[in-house]
Amino acid sequence: MRNLLFLVMIPLFIFGCGRRPKPVDEDIPGDHVLASQLFSVADAGKVMYGHQDDLSYGHAWKVTDWKNDDLERSDVKDVSGKYPAVLGFDLGGIEVGDTCNLDGVPFGLIRKAALTHRSRGGVVTFSWHLRNPLTGGDSWDISSDQVVASVLDGGEKHEEFLVWLDRLADFLNSLGKAPVIFRPWHENIGSWFWWGGNLCSAEQYKALFRLTRERLEEKGVENLLWCYSPNGPISKEDYLSRYPGDDIVDILGTDIYEYNNGDLDAAGAAYMANLKQMLTTLTEISKEHTKLMCLSETGLEGIPDPHWWTERLYPAIQGFPICYVLTWRNAHDRPGHFYGPWKGFENAEDFRLFSEKKEIVLL
Ligand code: BMA
């Protein structure tokens, strides 16, 4: 996706989320169709709600026989009657040829769920918690600050890393022409992933992002919208310090969580202030760079706040032109590790009220 500007000017498609995208011309690339869909949502003052792994598993359940499953179960649908508009998946493990991702979800199921969701009219986004190519550890292995350097051109792991990118390309190509949002190298201002702020220079980070996009495109991967999503809140200067460039990035994202430190009122107030500060900054950058923007990850683990959806998240994002907000996964095997709604949990009704707000879009 090189230039999204003309999409704002030429009304190629008129549809909202929940209606199937109807191309008026089959030659129009899928990434343009998706960008147009996202621009229409943001221009209408709407925000699509998204949930990680929503069709693959939920609180205390998971799809077991994915080949014969119609993927109709969803924690979000159980509570609100509708699927989330945006569905997130993680591709960690694809690079080494695993059959399941780092959370045990088969890549076959991810492919099927992504295509099913797209055919229902929804939007798909992929993150990538890949392994550490230098140490053999995981994304969180920050024992060396030479990992990014090692995969760049001239580095000792460069050739191996290209093979990793090619495996990723094969998976993405297996989706046919379905457009998706790809969000690699996320939360890169913090230093908890091997591509984090203290683990590589800004130039190395940008080169890593560029290498990823260029290699995938060389391998024929089209139809991606590329999202840059540092952890927030951070200043405008910090956000842009590692920004890979307007020719590389299509969507400006940020990941911001609420952390319960025992004082829910204080944690909630800090979360709302953080969101407001970061989304104000993102709005400014998105205007200057003519880019879409989103809240790429958010949530409060275990949602101990009974009115979190309507009194924390909703007022904090209200009025900002984000095309979507995505809450993280409801782990099926860790009872307290959930960020989305599920039927039977005490604040399910609060989510239902959130989902019925006029700005919030589900499928
Ligand atoms: C984290 C946690 C982990 C998970 C990872 C990738 O935030 O949910 O359990 O492995 O995301 O999905």
Side-chain angles (χ1 to χ4, degrees):
M1 188 77 216
R2 292 291 164 195
N3 185 358
L4 299 175
L5 254 182
F6 77 100
L7 287 165
V8 188
M9 303 159 81
I10 309 171
L12 296 175
F13 307 94
I14 302 173
F15 57 85
C17 208
R19 289 161 61 194
R20 287 174 193 214
K22 285 190 188 136
V24 289
D25 177 342
E26 288 191 350
D27 293 335
I28 295 170
D31 54 345
H32 292 200
V33 176
L34 179 56
S36 176
Q37 182 179 10
L38 299 174
F39 271 119
S40 335
V41 169
D43 285 351
K46 308 273 187 198
V47 179
M48 293 186 286
Y49 170 69
H51 188 215
Q52 186 76 0
D53 280 343
D54 191 77
L55 294 183
S56 319
Y57 60 81
H59 183 77
W61 66 272
K62 70 171 183 174
V63 168
T64 47
D65 180 14
W66 63 267
K67 288 182 187 156
N68 296 305
D69 196 307
D70 290 336
L71 307 182
E72 288 179 343
R73 181 143 188 212
S74 146
D75 275 352
V76 171
K77 185 161 80 93
D78 277 355
V79 168
S80 67
K82 293 175 183 174
Y83 293 109
V86 177
L87 204 48
F89 300 98
D90 198 89
L91 301 182
I94 200 78
E95 70 282 357
V96 289
D98 285 350
T99 51
C100 293
N101 81 354
L102 76 165
D103 298 318
V105 186
F107 286 110
L109 167 54
I110 292 178
R111 181 187 299 109
K112 182 173 173 177
L115 293 175
T116 300
H117 186 64
R118 189 67 192 154
S119 73
R120 289 174 183 158
V123 171
V124 171
T125 174
F126 292 133
S127 50
W128 192 24
H129 287 87
L130 74 167
R131 303 272 176 84
N132 181 320
L134 188 62
T135 65
D138 59 22
S139 286
W140 294 267
D141 180 352
I142 51 169
S143 56
S144 165
D145 61 3
Q146 293 303 308
V147 191
V148 173
S150 79
V151 300
L152 296 177
D153 199 7
E156 62 179 293
K157 291 288 174 182
H158 182 62
E159 292 306 320
E160 201 178 308
F161 186 63
L162 293 183
V163 174
W164 284 20
L165 289 175
D166 293 353
R167 291 194 184 112
L168 171 68
D170 287 347
F171 177 81
L172 293 168
N173 280 329
S174 78
L175 296 169
K177 292 194 177 300
V180 299
I181 298 168
F182 185 45
R183 192 172 66 83
W185 316 125
H186 65 304
E187 299 176 12
N188 60 308
I189 300 297
S191 296
W192 45 86
F193 295 133
W194 57 255
W195 55 88
N198 293 337
L199 287 307
C200 60
S201 70
E203 289 321 306
Q204 286 170 330
Y205 177 83
K206 290 183 204 175
L208 175 67
F209 215 115
R210 188 168 290 272
L211 168 67
T212 307
R213 178 158 181 166
E214 287 177 355
R215 183 70 178 188
L216 260 50
E217 285 179 351
E218 265 169 41
K219 292 290 158 183
V221 179
E222 294 165 343
N223 298 332
L224 294 189
L225 290 183
W226 291 73
C227 181
Y228 171 62
S229 64
N231 52 292
I234 50 174
S235 66
K236 181 176 180 182
E237 200 186 2
D238 283 346
Y239 191 94
L240 292 174
S241 65
R242 288 174 183 238
Y243 178 61
D246 281 346
D247 58 331
I248 298 292
V249 172
D250 302 306
I251 307 181
L252 307 176
T254 186
D255 293 5
I256 299 182
Y257 284 85
E258 177 175 336
Y259 295 100
N260 177 16
N261 51 11
D263 181 346
L264 266 184
D265 284 343
Y271 171 70
M272 291 176 77
N274 289 342
L275 278 187
K276 282 192 175 159
Q277 184 233 298
M278 193 68 228
L279 295 180
T280 302
T281 302
L282 266 197
T283 306
E284 210 177 298
I285 304 174
S286 84
K287 276 188 190 139
E288 287 164 9
H289 293 253
T290 325
K291 299 291 180 188
L292 290 154
M293 59 184 264
C294 69
L295 182 49
S296 35
E297 278 184 39
T298 196
L300 168 63
E301 188 178 27
I303 325 179
D305 182 337
H307 303 291
W308 187 80
W309 298 99
T310 55
E311 291 181 11
R312 296 298 185 197
L313 179 62
Y314 176 67
I317 61 174
Q318 224 180 352
F320 290 109
I322 49 175
C323 53
Y324 77 88
V325 50
L326 180 139
T327 54
W328 204 240
R329 65 200 197 100
N330 288 0
H332 59 89
D333 51 357
R334 287 165 61 190
H337 191 60
F338 63 88
Y339 298 83
W342 49 273
K343 200 172 180 174
F345 184 60
E346 56 185 14
N347 72 9
E349 174 62 9
D350 188 56
F351 177 81
R352 208 184 53 69
L353 294 173
F354 166 80
S355 75
E356 288 177 354
K357 299 285 185 192
K358 64 180 191 311
E359 300 92 342
I360 304 301
V361 179
L362 279 81
L363 262 199

